[in-house]
Amino acid sequence: MSKVIVVTSGKGGVGKTTTSASFSSGLALRGNKTVVIDFDVGLRNLDLIMGCERRVVYDIINVINGEVSLKQALIKDKNCDNLYILPASQTRDKDALNLEGVERILNELKETFDFIVCDSPAGIESGAFTAMYFADEALIVTNPEVSSVRDSDRILGILAAKSKRAVDGLDPVKEHLLVTRYDPKRVEAGEMLSVTDIQEILRIPLLGVIPESESVLQASNAGTPAIHLDKSDVAEAYRDVVGRFMGDEGLPMRFVTVDKKSFFKRLLGGR
Amino acid sequence: MARVEPAFKLKIANLSLFVLYVNTTDMVQLKKQLDMRFNKSQDFFSNTPVALDLSAIANFNISPDFAGLMAFMLDHGMHATGVVGGSAEQREAAVRSGLGLFPDTIARPALKTAPISTTAPGITPNTTGSQPGVPGLGLAIEAVAGETNNSNILDSDTQLQKPVSQVLPTFRPTMIINKPVRTGQRIYAEGANLVVLGVVNAGAELIADGDIHIYAPLRGRAIAGAQGNENARIFIHSLEAELISIAGCFKVFENGIPENLRCKPVQVHLDRSDLIIQPLLS
């Protein structure tokens, strides 16, 4: 059974696309046939993060309009054999993304792929709604600050009330909390909400915590999903997330507390 | 010939309406008190239609300055739409200022055409007389009949349909919500009590015509007795609310909710027009 997973947040700039790229790459690295779809029509970004922007010829709107086949529009990822990207249109109107067309594409993708990751645009307008409507599971990307948490709360409300699963009366969309840009130092200083604070408000299971890191920006600019970065805590955090999602047990929640460097490490100047 | 689609329909709808009880013709005083009352919670009203009840000043020989009153009500987001009660001169003056006329206050038939009297006492029998200082069922009628309302009241609509007992209580089962109520969501238990087991987050709204019980933190709004049932109560496991209201009387943390009750289990009831918040004994 293939699964449709939406990566959503309500608020912009919290790391949805970064997460979509790394999460789908992580799933593919574990041998799952995975496709990641950019639903942000008009503000296409996923292709940049995935480093395939120069290979975009057709996009999801072309497929919906029946101008090209799905096969023609899918782009094979440069890092993982099992990963494909379906880019958004940069030029079309976002209303071109209609529910019937998206459902048709998802059904066709389900024949080939194990996981379909939908990268939602920010907001709660039609684009975000379309991205989440067919979801089986949802990654709620939240930053440790109140406005992001409130927007996530809103999105969770919409998922629970208006997604296809809710409308059809099926099992609800399975929700996962992913806290990104987390800085334990600033949490300790009281400048950021803690993971506990966020969970106290949102009350959904925590899938992982991604630490704030400069390497995310470098990775984005280089067109490499952060999960591929060597020796970076962000990459490890995303691998943990994918592991937990796939049901790996005994993975400790890392990067939640301030890392106390040991005396020897400090002495030897270790990072 | 193709049939022309009807361009309009005319129907009678039962809408809840805020009523501002005007107790004085001294507009300076009224404006001052309105400002004091609503400045802190400015966005409580936004282009909200409000009726003016003039019955308290019907014996006065002068009419209020309606134009001025409407202007500063508008500053608070209230659109004065019409008047209830008042003397013939006052009602005439109101019409000259562009206000409509609601039927007289005593009969009050049109304010609500008996919406199956959802606030029927049968729904909340447990609340009657259980607390000192809270009279039984007669309160709703007494309070209005006496017109002792002060400016604290934001009476959404006082049910004044004859003795309530004449209307057959339409029993509706308690609405139970067992998941979080999230920002932007609004839950209305029409003619019923509401029990919420999940957290009610900021920006969410609970509305019930009967009582509301929340066995989790309340961070949003809770509005009990929405159709005017002054015996409705609210029970909250952890009070962190943006607003609590019973039968139109409301409090917010910045304006009335004691800070020492924050995050405490409380019950809320109405004593005449005063919203009482008490800690629940453990």
Side-chain angles (χ1 to χ4, degrees):
Chain A
M1 255 316 265
S2 50
K3 269 187 190 153
V4 180
I5 304 146
V6 62
V7 179
T8 185
S9 70
K11 198 170 186 298
V14 295
K16 281 183 299 297
T17 303
T18 301
T19 296
S20 297
S22 285
F23 184 69
S24 56
S25 298
L27 289 172
L29 286 172
R30 292 176 63 120
N32 303 294
K33 292 214 77 171
T34 307
V35 58
V36 55
I37 309 176
D38 190 352
F39 274 84
D40 206 348
V41 173
L43 291 167
R44 187 177 89 193
N45 277 166
L46 181 69
D47 52 326
L48 290 170
I49 309 286
M50 302 291 296
C52 66
E53 72 275 11
R54 265 167 281 170
R55 287 187 287 149
V56 174
V57 183
Y58 301 114
D59 56 56
I60 186 167
I61 303 296
N62 294 129
V63 184
I64 284 183
N65 292 344
E67 294 152 14
V68 297
S69 74
L70 201 47
K71 224 176 187 174
Q72 286 172 286
L74 285 175
I75 302 169
K76 191 166 180 302
D77 183 55
K78 60 182 182 187
N79 294 305
C80 320
D81 284 341
N82 289 317
L83 182 60
Y84 287 81
I85 299 126
L86 183 55
S89 170
Q90 184 67 347
T91 50
R92 300 297 185 86
D93 189 41
K94 62 181 188 315
D95 296 329
L97 205 61
N98 59 62
L99 282 182
E100 298 77 38
V102 171
E103 183 168 32
R104 212 178 55 236
I105 291 181
L106 291 178
N107 285 338
E108 201 178 328
L109 289 170
K110 279 180 186 173
E111 291 167 15
T112 321
F113 292 98
D114 304 318
F115 291 105
I116 302 164
V117 178
C118 303
D119 180 23
S120 169
I124 50 172
E125 311 299 320
S126 67
F129 178 73
T130 315
M132 73 166 68
Y133 186 72
F134 297 101
D136 301 308
E137 306 202 17
L139 297 197
I140 308 297
V141 183
T142 304
N143 286 173
E145 48 128 351
V146 280
S147 59
S148 172
V149 174
R150 176 172 290 192
D151 290 0
S152 295
D153 193 42
R154 180 89 170 97
I155 285 288
L156 284 164
I158 296 172
L159 268 173
K162 295 189 177 156
S163 63
K164 187 167 192 297
R165 281 180 165 269
V167 172
D168 292 353
L170 302 173
D171 289 344
V173 177
K174 195 169 171 194
E175 299 149 342
H176 306 274
L177 176 62
L178 185 64
V179 179
T180 55
R181 311 192 66 165
Y182 197 72
D183 187 341
K185 266 195 212 122
R186 298 190 65 190
V187 172
E188 266 187 11
E191 298 167 5
M192 272 185 177
L193 296 179
S194 70
V195 172
T196 322
D197 294 337
I198 299 170
Q199 275 196 289
E200 161 63 20
I201 296 171
L202 296 181
R203 304 201 169 200
I204 59 172
L206 180 67
L207 186 66
V209 177
I210 311 295
E212 171 80 311
S213 167
E214 290 160 16
S215 53
V216 171
L217 187 65
Q218 293 164 12
S220 298
N221 288 337
T224 310
I227 198 167
H228 295 301
L229 296 177
D230 269 347
K231 293 195 186 112
S232 96
D233 45 4
V234 173
E236 283 180 41
Y238 272 119
R239 271 185 218 122
D240 284 359
V241 165
V242 174
R244 277 184 214 107
F245 185 84
M246 297 300 296
D248 292 1
E249 279 172 25
L251 286 173
M253 204 57 81
R254 296 193 278 172
F255 315 111
V256 177
T257 48
V258 179
D259 197 16
K260 303 263 191 315
K261 276 185 189 165
S262 73
F263 174 72
F264 281 109
K265 263 194 174 167
R266 256 182 297 167
L267 204 65
L268 300 169
R271 305 187 347 119
Chain B
M1 285 287 281
R3 270 232 313 264
V4 180
E5 289 293 315
F8 66 86
K9 262 191 213 169
L10 191 60
K11 282 187 169 181
I12 294 180
N14 292 316
L15 303 171
S16 303
L17 191 65
F18 282 107
V19 180
L20 186 78
Y21 290 85
V22 181
N23 292 340
T24 173
T25 51
D26 180 356
M27 288 300 112
V28 178
Q29 190 60 26
L30 185 70
K31 179 173 187 331
K32 202 174 122 199
Q33 291 193 12
L34 261 187
D35 287 343
M36 261 167 55
R37 176 86 186 145
F38 290 116
N39 260 4
K40 281 184 177 168
S41 46
Q42 247 169 359
D43 49 0
F44 187 80
F45 298 103
S46 73
N47 289 319
T48 311
V50 175
L52 300 170
D53 190 315
L54 307 179
S55 38
I57 56 164
N59 306 333
F60 293 31
N61 278 331
I62 45 169
S63 301
D65 167 19
F66 284 111
L69 176 60
M70 286 160 72
F72 67 72
M73 280 174 72
L74 202 57
D75 290 341
H76 288 288
M78 292 185 257
H79 267 284
T81 50
V83 295
V84 183
S87 67
E89 292 80 42
Q90 288 165 349
R91 288 170 76 82
E92 204 173 292
V95 172
R96 276 200 304 274
S97 304
L99 289 164
L101 293 181
F102 288 101
D104 209 47
T105 184
I106 303 148
R108 257 204 193 172
L111 255 185
K112 182 156 294 230
T113 356
I116 30 171
S117 190
T118 44
T119 49
I123 294 170
T124 55
N126 51 331
T127 64
T128 53
S130 58
Q131 278 284 320
V134 181
L137 290 173
L139 178 69
I141 296 151
E142 282 167 21
V144 174
E147 287 295 348
T148 51
N149 308 297
N150 60 28
S151 59
N152 271 352
I153 294 196
L154 264 169
D155 200 345
S156 67
D157 177 46
T158 328
Q159 198 81 42
L160 243 203
Q161 292 300 313
K162 298 177 213 142
V164 221
S165 54
Q166 282 192 8
V167 188
L168 277 179
T170 39
F171 176 82
R172 295 201 195 183
T174 296
M175 184 188 266
I176 298 178
I177 307 290
N178 55 10
K179 34 183 197 190
V181 185
R182 304 198 177 275
T183 186
Q185 289 185 317
R186 168 187 276 185
I187 292 182
Y188 179 30
E190 193 183 357
N193 295 337
L194 176 60
V195 173
V196 180
L197 299 165
V199 59
V200 181
N201 277 339
E205 204 166 88
L206 304 178
I207 309 172
D209 292 338
D211 305 333
I212 300 180
H213 300 246
I214 303 139
Y215 299 102
L218 169 69
R219 306 192 176 108
R221 302 174 161 205
I223 296 159
Q227 300 233 26
N229 177 6
E230 303 185 6
N231 292 311
R233 289 185 181 218
I234 306 176
F235 303 86
I236 305 165
H237 183 70
S238 174
L239 176 66
E240 300 161 40
E242 288 172 334
L243 176 146
I244 45 179
S245 159
I246 294 175
C249 300
F250 69 89
K251 279 189 178 169
V252 293
F253 256 110
E254 284 193 5
N255 184 8
I257 301 180
E259 196 57 39
N260 60 349
L261 291 179
R262 184 182 284 279
C263 298
K264 296 280 171 10
V266 297
Q267 76 154 316
V268 188
H269 69 269
L270 202 57
D271 184 2
R272 301 196 185 272
S273 56
D274 207 6
L275 204 62
I276 311 288
I277 305 169
Q278 293 174 317
L280 275 178
L281 297 174
S282 48

Coordinates of all heavy atoms in Angstrom, one line a residue, chain B residues 96 103 109 228 230 234 238 279:
Chain B
R96 N -35.4 59.2 12.5 CA -34.8 60.4 11.8 C -33.2 60.2 11.7 O -32.6 60.6 10.7 CB -35.1 61.7 12.6 CG -36.4 62.3 12.2 CD -36.5 63.7 12.6 NE -36.1 64.0 14.0 CZ -37.1 63.9 15.0 NH1 -38.3 63.7 14.7 NH2 -36.7 64.2 16.2
P103 N -40.0 45.9 17.5 CA -41.2 46.0 18.2 C -40.9 46.4 19.7 O -39.8 46.2 20.1 CB -41.8 44.6 18.1 CG -41.2 44.0 16.9 CD -39.8 44.6 16.8
P109 N -42.0 40.3 20.5 CA -42.3 39.0 19.8 C -41.3 38.8 18.6 O -41.0 37.6 18.4 CB -43.7 39.2 19.2 CG -43.9 40.6 19.1 CD -42.9 41.3 20.0
G228 N -29.1 32.8 25.9 CA -29.6 33.6 26.9 C -29.9 32.9 28.2 O -30.5 33.4 29.2
E230 N -29.4 32.0 31.5 CA -28.5 32.6 32.6 C -28.1 31.6 33.6 O -27.4 31.9 34.5 CB -29.2 33.8 33.2 CG -29.5 34.9 32.2 CD -30.1 36.1 32.8 OE1 -30.1 36.2 34.0 OE2 -30.5 37.0 32.0
I234 N -20.1 27.1 33.3 CA -18.9 26.6 32.6 C -17.9 25.9 33.6 O -17.7 26.6 34.7 CB -18.1 27.7 31.8 CG1 -19.1 28.4 30.9 CG2 -17.0 27.1 31.0 CD1 -18.5 29.6 30.2
S238 N -8.5 23.7 33.4 CA -7.4 24.6 33.6 C -7.7 25.9 32.8 O -7.8 26.0 31.6 CB -6.1 24.0 33.0 OG -5.1 25.0 33.0
P279 N -12.8 29.0 42.1 CA -11.9 27.8 42.0 C -12.8 26.5 42.4 O -13.6 26.6 43.3 CB -10.8 28.0 43.0 CG -11.3 29.1 44.0 CD -12.3 29.9 43.2

